[in-house]
Amino acid sequence: MPEPGRRRAAPSKGDLREAKLLEVLEELLAVKSFDALTTNDIAERAGLSRASMYFYFSSKQEALVALFAKTVEALHEKSRAAADDPAAPRDAIATALRRTRERWHEHGLIMRVAIDQSSAIPELGALWMETADIFIAAIATILVRAGVPDEEGPDGARAIAGALCWMIERTFYHASAVSPAALDQASETCRVVWLRAAGIRP
């Protein structure tokens, strides 16, 4: 935190170039598959030489990991906020899904690409598992508050939360590739399933 009365330092030229490279990568993925994309494509679109890009990222894979990390950082924050939400479980569920849906609306393409590449790029898989673990913990917290037993076993809150998390991930993954309207509908379906799992009438 900056000291009171002192201005936060402006981003350096290097920070701005790195941010530009990530922005360009996201733009290019909208028109070109990751496998077909080259580091030269990214550098040229960003107005840099390939050698200059290597100063920031050694490969397109490293750039994708950085972009995905930036994307899921907000999901981590929103999931932790869901666990701490003092609202009634019904409202907490609606808020958690709304926030998650918004992230998929904004960056669904990046999340789909990262999920698709996670078997080839272990860092992506690790980031996504970390994200899932945080979301599962939040779901479990809300389920327990709704009366689901906080115990081990297939009918315990943690196990049910895990099933809900991966259901939501797959549902949002497919719907986000179709249209915003499909994602909205998928989010509503996930809300109903989560409510029923929590023993709350939709």
Side-chain angles (χ1 to χ4, degrees):
M1 291 283 294
E3 293 179 17
R6 296 187 63 179
R7 291 184 178 180
R8 189 185 301 271
S12 67
K13 185 180 292 186
D15 290 338
L16 293 173
R17 283 182 175 174
E18 182 174 315
K20 179 64 175 177
L21 286 166
L22 296 181
E23 179 185 324
V24 161
L25 173 56
E26 186 163 8
E27 291 172 357
L28 286 171
L29 286 172
V31 296
K32 201 168 189 176
S33 73
F34 182 73
D35 290 336
L37 197 62
T38 67
T39 53
N40 200 47
D41 292 331
I42 302 169
E44 282 187 359
R45 180 79 170 252
L48 299 173
S49 67
R50 187 163 57 179
S52 294
M53 177 177 166
Y54 286 145
F55 180 79
Y56 301 97
F57 301 108
S58 62
S59 64
K60 66 177 185 178
Q61 288 82 1
E62 186 177 317
L64 180 61
V65 170
L67 177 58
F68 187 53
K70 181 180 175 183
T71 301
V72 298
E73 183 178 355
L75 274 176
H76 292 180
E77 294 173 2
K78 293 177 189 303
S79 293
R80 292 188 180 102
D84 296 333
D85 191 341
R90 177 188 298 277
D91 296 328
I93 289 168
T95 299
L97 282 171
R98 175 178 54 78
R99 289 170 173 167
T100 304
R101 182 195 66 212
E102 287 170 356
R103 205 63 186 163
W104 278 91
H105 264 311
E106 295 167 3
H107 300 289
L109 172 62
I110 297 307
M111 292 196 280
R112 291 196 307 274
V113 171
I115 290 167
D116 291 343
Q117 294 293 325
S118 61
S119 59
I121 307 173
E123 294 87 348
L124 293 174
L127 276 170
W128 198 232
M129 287 303 299
E130 179 187 358
T131 303
D133 285 343
I134 294 170
F135 194 39
I136 288 169
I139 295 172
T141 298
I142 295 172
L143 289 175
V144 170
R145 286 175 48 213
V148 176
D150 185 11
E151 57 188 34
E152 298 298 324
D155 57 350
R158 179 76 186 184
I160 295 172
L164 285 170
C165 172
W166 295 114
M167 176 207 70
I168 291 168
E169 186 247 30
R170 285 288 89 188
T171 303
F172 279 22
Y173 174 98
H174 290 292
S176 69
V178 177
S179 69
L183 187 55
D184 291 342
Q185 183 175 342
S187 179
E188 178 61 15
T189 299
C190 289
R191 186 186 71 84
V192 170
V193 173
W194 189 346
L195 285 170
R196 287 179 174 166
I200 302 171
R201 188 171 180 176

